[in-house]
Every structure is written in C-alpha cells, then in structure tokens.
Amino acid sequence: MKKIIFLIVAVFLTIVIAIMAFTYYENTYIPITSNNTNAEKVLKVVGDIDYVPLAFLDKEGKPTGHDVDLIYRVANEMDMKAEIDLMPWPEAVAAFKKGEYDVLITVAYVDGREEWLHYSIPVTNDHYTIFSNKKQKDFHLIDLSLSKIAVLEDDGCIEFLKSIYDLQNNIIALPSTEACFRLLSVGGCDYVIAPETIGMSEIKKYEYKNIFSQGDNILSNIFCFATQPHDKELLLQINDALSGLKSLGLLRKAHNYWMVSYKDSNVLISLLKQHSNLFMTLTILMLFIICLVVMVFKHLANGKLRELVYIDRMTGVKNRVGYDEMVDLIDEKLCRRESIVFGIMMFDLNGLKKINDGLGHKMGDKYIIESAKMIERSCPGLPVYRIGGDEFVVIVGEKTIDFIEEFSKTFQRNIRVFNNTSSFLPNGISVAQGYAIYDNKKDSSFSDVYKRADIIMYRNKQESRNPTS
C-alpha cells in the first residue's frame, strides 16, 4: 500500500514539474525589434502605423509589433536587411500599389486582391468582432442593417460585409482604427467592426469605458505578408522562411507573446504567471480532475462512454460535444482548402418558456423530446445535434445537399400531421427553421454559414410570432 502511495505521489510531482517546465518554455520568447545582420540586400517593407499589436511605433518611435518582429526574422533568414516604414493604412496600401515597397505587412486575407498582391502563408489569425458603445443583451446580426458601421478604409472585411450582409450603405470607412473607435466613443456611429485583438488594444490604450465587445465572430480571418504579384521568387523565399520559423514553434510563440495579452479573456493567464501559488493550486485541481476522468473512463470502458460523451441523454440525438468536433473537422478541411460541400439546417423551438412556466418543466422536456424525434424522422440518416436547450442543428453532406429544401418541407408537413393527431400540447409543436449552404466564394469558415442560417431562422421565428393574414 505504501509503495502504491509513493508511486502516486512520485507521478503527481513529475507531472507538476513537467507542466511548470513546459509552461516556462512556451512563454519564453524574445522579440526582435531591429535588424541583426550586415547583409547588403535590402527588403523594403511597409505597414500600418497604428495597428496594435501587429504593427505600431514604440515609445522611441521605432517600428515594433507582431508583424514587425516576424518580418525582421524572415529578413534574417533570407540574409537581407529589412527597412520598415509604417504609415496610415490607406497610404501604405497606395505606396505598395505604386511599387515603392517589396512587402506589405498586416494584411488580412480576403479574396479579390490577386491583381495587386500575392499572399504569403499565414503568419497569425484573429477574427472580426462587433464593438458598440452600449451593452446589448439581445443583440442580433440583423441589427446591423439598421445601423452605421465604422471600419478601417481598405480593410479586408469591407467587401465581405457588402456581399454577405448587404451593408454597403451602412459602412463608414475611416483612415485608421483609432478614428473608428474615437467616432464610436462620441456616438458618431453605432458599431465598429475590427479584428478582436486590434479592437481590444484600442480600448486598452485609450481606456474607453463606454465601448464593449459584443463577442460576435463576423469573419474568421488570417493575417499574411504580401508581395508584388510579379515577384514570385521573393514570395517563395518568404514562405520558406516562415515555414522554418513555424517548424521551430516561433510563429506560435510570437502569437502568444504579441496577440494573447491584448484580449480580456486572457487576463487570467497573466495573473497565473505572476502568482505561482495560484498556478500551483489550479494545477493540483487539474490533476485531481484528470484522476477522476481516468476513473470514469475505466468504469465506462464497456461502451457507455461514447453515449455519455457524444449523446444528449434527454433526446438521444448528438450533443454539443459531437457538434463541436464536427465543426472543427469542417473548419480544418476549409483551412486546407479542400473541396467540400455541406449545408446547415437550424431549428429553434417556439414557446418553450411559456410551456415551462404554464405547464411545468416535465411537459417542457416532453416538448423538447417530441420535437427532436420529429427532426430525426424528417431527416433520416443525417446527424442531428442538440446545441442548446431548445436549439437543434442538422449538418447536411454532399449527397443530400440537393434535398435540403425538401427536408424543410417534410419537417413542416410532419409537424402538421402530429399536431392534428396528437393532443399532448394545447397548441401543438411549433419550430422556427433556417438553412444555408456553404459557398466557397463567400464563406471562409463554418461559422459564416451558421450565421446566415441563424439569420433566416431568426426571421422565421419573428414571422411565427407576428403572423400576417
């Protein structure tokens, strides 16, 4: 018994030490803020002067930031000397288009720019977020169509907003992100759309107390370097250098060093670094949880584990865990630019709260269960996911994409039959629907398709609440 206890303690201490060593290694990163080569060849670079933390001027007026750091490293790998000029983004783009610079940094990837630039492989990633000057609990993307939206001039998201959300008449293009947030702070616009990290850095830098992130991922995006379209040899050299940095783990470390600290959600990480006792306590808790998970896995090895992990116990359909795994799988394929066809059907139960309040939660649970069965019967062979209390999603693959409208009609027909033949609910079953199909010209991630389906479902829900004769 004593030997077993000793072994457990030894393994525990080994894991703790390994975690602390790995954490230290992962957070050890020294940025480069100047050239460290005597090379004669010069790489002329231009970027945004105030795009914290990707590119900006430090207190001494020198270029610094995530992209500046990496372009110095890339230049060193190419045995070249980087000469970096930072200026307002519209001026940087204009100067690059004139051929005055070899490389444009802080470039968000978006289709349609191939005539005047060629993208490198990704150097980091972020997503565009909605910022407003008031907290909105019931915010919905459809609200953007009635609002003034400030964005950075020549920003990659502008064409996306115009084509996907039809907001060409709502956009106010300004020469800097700083100007966008300043306009929002004084009520000159309703929203700002900007990369989350960039926006949070503006709030932090100018201590805005009246600007809030709505947390909505409008567009998942990656940032790249860009070369002149005719300079294919330079692009190959830059990509080779970036691939080398990636293999050494430096791209990930640079992202953590420059990008992570500007997001409110990562304040806890900074606190853990400063308070080792707290970190140790959380580590012990984590190890305790791991031990419990191992025990659970052992007792559920007879096959019930998969049901526990992936199946919603109330309805028998797949749960949020299975849904998130499928979303990650689709996003990985899209990131690798694989050919893929899929669609999303969304379902939201109407009136669940009224049933819970008036008839009790048991009847509400029965409403959820019967609705789930109805969805499964209408979409035989397709995976049905319960992603919230009263929300369901069906992911349609290539073989069934042509029948997505027929599924929708079948579902509504099955509801009518059920309501006419069953009396377990006074008003029967009522479900709002929405669906969208992936378009490789418009969508860069699963969430882009999801949002379009969500908007259609939301409109359907509103129509069901306010029927017209």
Side-chain angles (χ1 to χ4, degrees):
M1 187 66 179
K2 291 182 178 180
K3 290 183 178 180
I4 295 176
I5 295 175
F6 176 79
L7 180 61
I8 293 175
V9 172
V11 171
F12 170 78
L13 291 177
T14 301
I15 294 175
V16 170
I17 293 172
I19 291 175
M20 294 184 68
F22 178 76
T23 302
Y24 176 78
Y25 170 77
E26 283 296 295
N27 291 286
T28 300
Y29 181 80
I30 302 176
I32 297 178
T33 56
S34 62
N35 291 291
N36 61 355
T37 178
N38 296 319
E40 295 182 359
K41 293 183 179 180
V42 174
L43 186 68
K44 300 191 69 176
V45 181
V46 66
D48 197 327
I49 196 172
D50 190 20
Y51 213 49
V52 181
L54 293 179
F56 58 100
L57 298 180
D58 62 15
K59 295 180 180 179
E60 297 178 358
K62 296 180 180 180
T64 189
H66 176 276
D67 281 17
V68 174
D69 176 7
L70 288 182
I71 200 64
Y72 277 133
R73 292 181 186 274
V74 167
N76 291 340
E77 291 291 321
M78 296 164 55
D79 196 24
M80 299 180 71
K81 180 180 180 181
E83 291 185 355
I84 302 174
D85 291 328
L86 301 183
M87 58 189 71
W89 180 244
E91 296 178 21
V93 171
F96 180 80
K97 286 182 176 180
K98 291 178 182 178
E100 298 174 3
Y101 294 90
D102 304 309
V103 178
L104 177 66
I105 58 175
T106 67
V107 186
Y109 181 91
V110 63
D111 292 328
R113 294 177 168 183
E114 291 76 10
E115 292 184 1
W116 59 276
L117 61 75
H118 279 173
Y119 294 104
S120 73
I121 63 176
V123 295
T124 190
N125 61 79
D126 204 351
H127 60 264
Y128 284 87
T129 298
I130 301 171
F131 296 88
S132 69
N133 55 10
K134 57 183 178 180
K135 293 183 177 180
Q136 296 176 251
K137 293 182 179 180
D138 299 325
F139 174 81
H140 197 280
L141 290 174
I142 200 170
D143 297 335
L144 294 177
S145 62
L146 305 175
S147 308
K148 295 180 180 179
I149 308 164
V151 297
L152 175 65
E153 185 179 339
D154 288 324
D155 191 277
C157 75
I158 292 180
E159 291 302 319
F160 177 82
L161 294 173
K162 289 180 179 179
S163 61
I164 300 299
Y165 296 108
D166 193 24
L167 299 176
Q168 58 266 26
N169 297 324
N170 306 73
I171 295 174
I172 303 173
L174 298 177
S176 68
T177 307
E178 176 187 345
C180 293
F181 279 83
R182 190 165 56 245
L183 183 67
L184 179 62
S185 69
V186 298
C189 63
D190 301 299
Y191 301 103
V192 167
I193 294 180
E196 181 188 26
T197 306
I198 311 302
M200 297 308 299
S201 71
E202 288 291 326
I203 295 174
K204 180 179 178 180
K205 179 179 179 181
Y206 294 102
E207 298 182 347
Y208 289 120
K209 304 298 183 183
N210 65 332
I211 297 181
F212 310 93
S213 169
Q214 296 297 332
D216 284 88
N217 181 351
I218 293 293
L219 170 64
S220 298
N221 213 340
I222 57 177
F223 287 90
C224 308
F225 297 150
T227 64
Q228 299 292 345
H230 58 80
D231 205 341
K232 297 181 180 179
E233 180 64 27
L234 177 60
L235 182 63
L236 289 174
Q237 294 177 4
I238 290 176
N239 283 340
D240 285 343
L242 287 172
S243 296
L245 296 177
K246 183 178 181 179
S247 66
L248 295 173
L250 291 175
L251 291 187
R252 182 185 70 254
K253 289 186 176 183
H255 178 87
N256 292 339
Y257 181 90
W258 289 104
M259 307 289 283
V260 167
S261 62
Y262 286 88
K263 297 183 180 181
D264 285 345
S265 59
N266 290 281
V267 172
L268 181 59
I269 295 178
S270 300
L271 291 175
L272 291 177
K273 293 176 183 177
Q274 298 172 22
H275 303 284
S276 58
N277 290 336
L278 177 59
F279 175 77
M280 182 62 72
T281 301
L282 292 176
T283 302
I284 294 173
L285 178 61
M286 181 187 68
L287 291 172
F288 176 74
I289 293 173
I290 290 174
C291 290
L292 289 179
V293 171
V294 171
M295 293 175 63
V296 171
F297 269 69
K298 183 178 179 180
H299 288 285
L300 296 177
N302 58 359
K304 294 183 179 180
L305 174 61
R306 183 171 184 82
E307 180 180 348
L308 177 65
V309 175
Y310 294 102
I311 302 300
D312 178 59
R313 298 184 66 180
M314 177 188 291
T315 62
V317 302
K318 295 179 182 295
N319 62 13
R320 184 75 194 215
V321 176
Y323 171 80
D324 288 339
E325 285 194 4
M326 179 59 70
V327 172
D328 290 342
L329 179 62
I330 292 174
D331 279 338
E332 286 178 9
K333 291 184 178 181
L334 293 177
C335 187
R336 293 195 298 266
R337 298 182 179 276
E338 293 183 15
S339 178
I340 182 173
V341 178
F342 71 93
I344 302 171
M345 291 193 293
M346 301 184 64
F347 306 86
D348 188 292
L349 310 189
N350 295 323
L352 177 60
K353 185 177 184 304
K354 182 182 289 186
I355 292 174
N356 285 334
D357 293 343
L359 302 176
H361 284 273
K362 287 187 177 180
M363 183 60 74
D365 290 346
K366 188 174 181 181
Y367 183 33
I368 294 173
I369 293 169
E370 291 298 329
S371 298
K373 290 179 180 178
M374 192 72 63
I375 295 172
E376 283 193 302
R377 284 198 295 269
S378 303
C379 309
L382 295 179
V384 180
Y385 301 90
R386 185 186 181 197
I387 63 172
D390 58 354
E391 296 180 8
F392 295 84
V393 168
V394 175
I395 298 178
V396 179
E398 182 174 3
K399 293 182 179 180
T400 51
I401 200 73
D402 293 333
F403 306 99
I404 193 168
E405 291 186 1
E406 188 62 32
F407 286 152
S408 179
K409 294 177 182 177
T410 300
F411 177 68
Q412 290 299 334
R413 183 168 61 249
N414 288 343
I415 286 181
R416 288 194 298 270
V417 171
F418 180 86
N419 289 339
N420 290 334
T421 58
S422 174
S423 60
F424 92 97
L425 282 174
N427 298 318
I429 291 177
S430 174
V431 182
Q433 286 181 260
Y435 64 85
I437 300 173
Y438 168 70
D439 186 340
N440 59 10
K441 296 180 180 179
K442 297 180 179 179
D443 305 318
S444 61
S445 68
F446 182 93
S447 64
D448 296 335
V449 188
Y450 179 94
K451 286 182 172 60
R452 288 192 283 111
D454 186 45
I455 289 175
I456 295 174
M457 185 186 70
Y458 178 81
R459 289 172 177 168
N460 182 245
K461 197 175 189 70
Q462 294 297 106
E463 290 172 0
S464 66
R465 292 175 179 173
N466 303 289
T468 56
S469 56

